[in-house]
Amino acid sequence: QKEVEQNSGPLSVPEGAIASLNCTYSDRGSQSFFWYRQYSGKSPELIMSIYSNGDKEDGRFTAQLNKASQYVSLLIRDSQPSDSATYLCAVKSGGGADGLTFGKGTHLIIQP
Amino acid sequence: EADIYQTPRYLVIGTGKKITLECSQTMGHDKMYWYQQDPGMELHLIHYSYGVNSTEKGDLSSESTVSRIRTEHFPLTLESARPSHTSQYLCASRLDRGDYTFGSGTRLTVV
């Protein structure tokens, strides 16, 4: 069974600091990796996608992928109170059912 | 602004009723999906479609059914609602190899 694991938190980070979110996945055939942000009661919104090993930067966000270790991370620099949300790691496998496999999410709290 | 719409946003309904959750997208996406999410839990894929007249079951077994008669429309139906169906239902779509776009969701409560 394909699994995506995340620390549920809450992860508390002071405003202006770097928030580091981690995710591991079980399916070595996974090809695509995504980070979504979900505010309470809202739908997920795409933050970053990453497909190859290494780092990918977009503004304050950096996604890191290490396929050998089956590990994905998201760094948020200069954290703002508006970044407080649940961050979902999602993985697209190479086979099986189409669609994404999600982790339970990490609840991030940015302290003003 | 998301171009994928779900109605109703909230639904409280009695046990045994038949319900249909609507999902429509105006982006011309071929692929559409239904996910189920319980509070504090991960999203689980319950149905997906590659295009018109294509429907497949997802990773999580569900008593719901779906249809895809038109590209833009992917409704989900429960023939007889039960309290165990209480959950949030999220619809998503994408082009082949594209990013997933989610609707606002339908929060269903069966009493």
Side-chain angles (χ1 to χ4, degrees), chain B residues 59-71:
Chain B
D59 299 320
L60 181 68
S61 175
S62 174
E63 294 169 345
S64 59
T65 58
V66 292
S67 62
R68 190 86 184 277
I69 298 173
R70 302 197 317 264
T71 298

Side-chain angles (χ1 to χ4, degrees), chain B residues 38-92:
Chain B
D38 293 331
M41 301 298 288
E42 63 266 49
L43 282 77
H44 287 289
L45 179 69
I46 52 174
H47 298 284
Y48 61 100
S49 167
Y50 289 129
V52 171
N53 294 325
S54 155
T55 61
E56 303 286 345
K57 291 190 178 296
D59 299 320
L60 181 68
S61 175
S62 174
E63 294 169 345
S64 59
T65 58
V66 292
S67 62
R68 190 86 184 277
I69 298 173
R70 302 197 317 264
T71 298
E72 61 271 21
H73 195 213
F74 191 41
L76 181 146
T77 298
L78 279 165
E79 290 293 332
S80 179
R82 295 207 300 268
S84 61
H85 297 140
T86 294
S87 189
Q88 175 161 253
Y89 294 83
L90 289 157
C91 182

Side-chain angles (χ1 to χ4, degrees), chain A:
Chain A
Q1 184 174 354
K2 303 166 194 172
E3 293 181 345
V4 177
E5 300 288 342
Q6 296 181 253
N7 188 327
S8 61
L11 174 64
S12 188
V13 173
E15 183 176 357
I18 296 175
S20 178
L21 305 166
N22 305 315
C23 169
T24 59
Y25 59 94
S26 63
D27 183 5
R28 283 197 171 274
S30 299
Q31 297 178 334
S32 310
F33 307 86
F34 305 86
W35 283 100
Y36 284 85
R37 178 174 62 199
Q38 188 175 29
Y39 293 111
S40 180
K42 302 294 186 181
S43 61
E45 126 188 58
L46 182 65
I47 299 295
M48 293 279 289
S49 57
I50 187 167
Y51 306 99
S52 54
N53 281 329
D55 294 0
K56 179 181 177 182
E57 186 175 321
D58 183 0
R60 296 188 296 114
F61 299 95
T62 299
Q64 299 173 318
L65 174 60
N66 184 326
K67 288 186 179 180
S69 301
Q70 296 174 245
Y71 176 86
V72 193
S73 67
L74 179 71
L75 300 178
I76 307 174
R77 290 182 299 281
D78 188 23
S79 297
Q80 303 296 310
S82 59
D83 294 328
S84 298
T86 296
Y87 287 79
L88 308 175
C89 176
V91 174
K92 173 78 172 71
S93 296
D98 196 18
L100 300 175
T101 301
F102 282 85
K104 290 183 179 180
T106 297
H107 183 206
L108 175 65
I109 299 171
I110 305 301
Q111 297 175 319

Side-chain angles (χ1 to χ4, degrees), chain B:
Chain B
E1 185 89 17
D3 295 316
I4 181 166
Y5 307 97
Q6 290 187 243
T7 56
R9 186 76 178 86
Y10 302 94
L11 179 62
V12 180
I13 200 161
T15 298
K17 298 290 186 183
K18 178 181 178 178
I19 58 172
T20 297
L21 308 184
E22 301 288 350
C23 176
S24 295
Q25 50 94 7
T26 58
M27 298 172 284
H29 289 174
D30 288 326
K31 296 189 172 184
M32 297 188 73
Y33 309 82
W34 277 102
Y35 287 86
Q36 183 176 344
Q37 185 182 30
D38 293 331
M41 301 298 288
E42 63 266 49
L43 282 77
H44 287 289
L45 179 69
I46 52 174
H47 298 284
Y48 61 100
S49 167
Y50 289 129
V52 171
N53 294 325
S54 155
T55 61
E56 303 286 345
K57 291 190 178 296
D59 299 320
L60 181 68
S61 175
S62 174
E63 294 169 345
S64 59
T65 58
V66 292
S67 62
R68 190 86 184 277
I69 298 173
R70 302 197 317 264
T71 298
E72 61 271 21
H73 195 213
F74 191 41
L76 181 146
T77 298
L78 279 165
E79 290 293 332
S80 179
R82 295 207 300 268
S84 61
H85 297 140
T86 294
S87 189
Q88 175 161 253
Y89 294 83
L90 289 157
C91 182
S93 72
R94 70 180 183 121
L95 287 170
D96 193 24
R97 300 180 181 274
D99 290 333
Y100 295 76
T101 300
F102 281 87
S104 299
T106 293
R107 193 171 294 277
L108 173 66
T109 302
V110 184
V111 297

